[in-house]
Amino acid sequence: MATVIDGKAVAQTIRSEIAEEVRALSQKYGKVPGLAVVIVGNRKDSQSYVGMKRKACAELGIKSFDIDLPEQVSESDLIKQVHQLNVNPDVHVCGKKCMQSGILVQLPLPKHINEEKVLSEISLEKDVDGFHPLNIGKLAMKDRDPLFLPCTPKACIELLSRSGVSIKGKKAVVVGRSNIVGLPASLLLLKADATVTIVHSRTTQPESIIREADIVIAAAGQPMMIKGSWIKPGAAVIDVGTNAVDDPTKKSGYRLVGDVDFEEASKVAGWITPVPGGVGPMTVTMLLHNTLEGAKRCFEKNH
Ligand code: NAD
């Protein structure tokens, strides 16, 4: 039976470490990190993610700045707002003007706004989501390090390393190639010296490729597509997929499942993350970690 990686517990440990570092920064510099969280419109799922992020900031002593914009805000007004935050020292409560702090623009944005254009206007030093094209570009380059790693892929690597799974020299398969999860996860594994294969919606016979993998990161958004028989015995399986499936036994009428058939795969794998309770709780924690890292760079530079 696989060791089930408890994402909630790992996240809690990391959150305590972050809170400790925030206290130390506050004592040393008299300042705490700050994160601007921008939300456009009232999508229920986005409101709930943003609420979680703001609450987590408060719990760890990080100051969050709430910028709530109406659904109809124009692209140029949103970009103006981002520019103001780029030069706002208070986003880091630095006391001095500095370019290092955190800005998060919750996605998706309404259809009339070009997301890539908005993300590329965020100052590189404040890009705590790690979605700026230049941060992603550096992730793709050998011997270069982006200032921030995208949160969900960073969570996957952190879960592997904190579970004692070594990556160097291993065969890794990433299922999915999206800009926010699959692609950056594969680049991170490559940076950690794995031999990486990407499986996507046009891949034929994915099972034979996945069966070779010592490490599987599943991020396809396809409920339970990866069966137990697709997993190499002893492999480490990180399931990013978060899919709602009908379940009349639940009050809500649905339950969340991953991209991996947990019941089958946990009998074969060496390590596996559950859904929920695996990658999910780690993603927000990595955002807070990125915010702390940005603040440390800022405080040290301006000390
Ligand atoms: P996406 O829809 O943008 O990308 C899905 C990718 O999977 C695509 O690259 C596509 O080629 C590939 N794919 C689709 N069907 C496939 C198939 N049958 N076989 C192989 N590949 C296939 O999704 P995303 O934003 O990358 O998210 C992926 C999943 O991860 C979703 O379930 C999402 O809810 C979840 N997610 C979870 C977290 C978290 O913190 N836990 C964060 C982000 C996304």
Side-chain angles (χ1 to χ4, degrees):
M1 276 303 268
T3 299
V4 177
I5 301 175
D6 183 346
K8 259 194 199 163
V10 179
Q12 201 43 56
T13 305
I14 299 175
R15 286 185 187 205
S16 307
E17 293 166 7
I18 295 172
E20 188 50 50
E21 287 207 58
V22 169
R23 270 194 294 276
L25 280 182
S26 170
Q27 272 172 11
K28 187 168 175 190
Y29 300 109
K31 304 160 194 160
V32 295
L35 173 67
V37 182
V38 182
I39 180 165
V40 179
N42 353 299
R43 274 178 68 119
K44 276 221 165 75
D45 53 349
S46 294
Q47 295 276 356
S48 128
Y49 293 138
V50 159
M52 267 168 17
K53 289 168 187 177
R54 288 171 175 166
K55 184 166 165 261
C57 279
E59 282 168 5
L60 271 53
I62 293 173
K63 174 150 177 49
S64 76
F65 296 79
D66 303 349
I67 292 111
D68 295 50
L69 301 170
E71 179 84 21
Q72 319 79 286
V73 71
S74 68
E75 184 178 282
S76 62
D77 281 349
L78 175 58
I79 288 175
K80 249 186 237 159
Q81 178 69 68
V82 167
H83 287 167
Q84 279 170 17
L85 293 168
N86 281 345
V87 294
N88 177 5
D90 282 343
V91 178
H92 244 130
V93 205
C94 266
K96 286 183 189 171
K97 232 181 188 190
C98 72
M99 298 297 287
Q100 289 166 340
S101 55
I103 301 171
L104 172 133
V105 177
Q106 183 64 40
L107 302 179
L109 292 169
K111 289 219 164 19
H112 66 278
I113 297 177
N114 180 335
E115 281 182 0
E116 200 184 326
K117 204 166 162 190
V118 173
L119 294 180
S120 60
E121 293 295 333
I122 296 176
S123 156
L124 264 188
E125 289 84 357
K126 296 187 181 187
D127 176 36
V128 284
D129 247 347
F131 291 156
H132 191 293
L134 284 176
N135 266 330
I136 295 286
K138 283 203 172 175
L139 187 61
M141 288 165 82
K142 196 169 156 20
D143 301 329
R144 296 280 190 289
D145 286 316
L147 285 175
F148 298 102
L149 299 176
C151 299
T152 304
K154 176 170 165 163
C156 297
I157 302 296
E158 196 67 31
L159 284 171
L160 288 169
S161 71
R162 292 204 180 224
S163 307
V165 177
S166 69
I167 300 175
K168 193 174 182 166
K170 298 286 172 59
K171 281 189 188 164
V173 169
V174 178
V175 187
R177 56 175 166 179
S178 73
N179 286 338
I180 59 165
V181 191
L183 189 67
S186 66
L187 294 169
L188 271 178
L189 287 164
L190 195 59
K191 272 210 187 308
D193 291 329
T195 302
V196 185
T197 307
I198 302 174
V199 163
H200 49 78
S201 53
R202 304 294 166 94
T203 304
T204 53
Q205 297 190 315
E207 61 273 29
S208 62
I209 299 169
I210 295 169
R211 216 174 271 133
E212 298 256 295
D214 304 304
I215 296 169
V216 179
I217 294 185
Q222 301 294 321
M224 299 200 280
M225 76 168 255
I226 298 174
K227 306 296 171 199
S229 60
W230 297 19
I231 302 294
K232 179 177 172 179
V237 179
I238 305 293
D239 192 355
V240 182
T242 312
N243 311 291
V245 294
D246 291 342
D247 185 346
T249 68
K250 301 273 179 208
K251 212 171 155 194
S252 58
Y254 72 90
R255 74 192 153 96
L256 294 179
V257 299
D259 289 352
V260 178
D261 186 324
F262 182 86
E263 212 185 309
E264 287 181 16
S266 59
K267 293 185 182 124
V268 188
W271 297 263
I272 190 165
T273 58
V275 177
V279 177
M282 283 289 288
T283 295
V284 175
T285 305
M286 293 299 101
L287 170 71
L288 302 170
H289 189 259
N290 279 351
T291 304
L292 171 69
E293 293 290 297
K296 284 200 309 206
R297 280 194 287 268
C298 168
F299 293 175
E300 276 155 25
K301 192 170 154 191
N302 290 289
H303 188 48

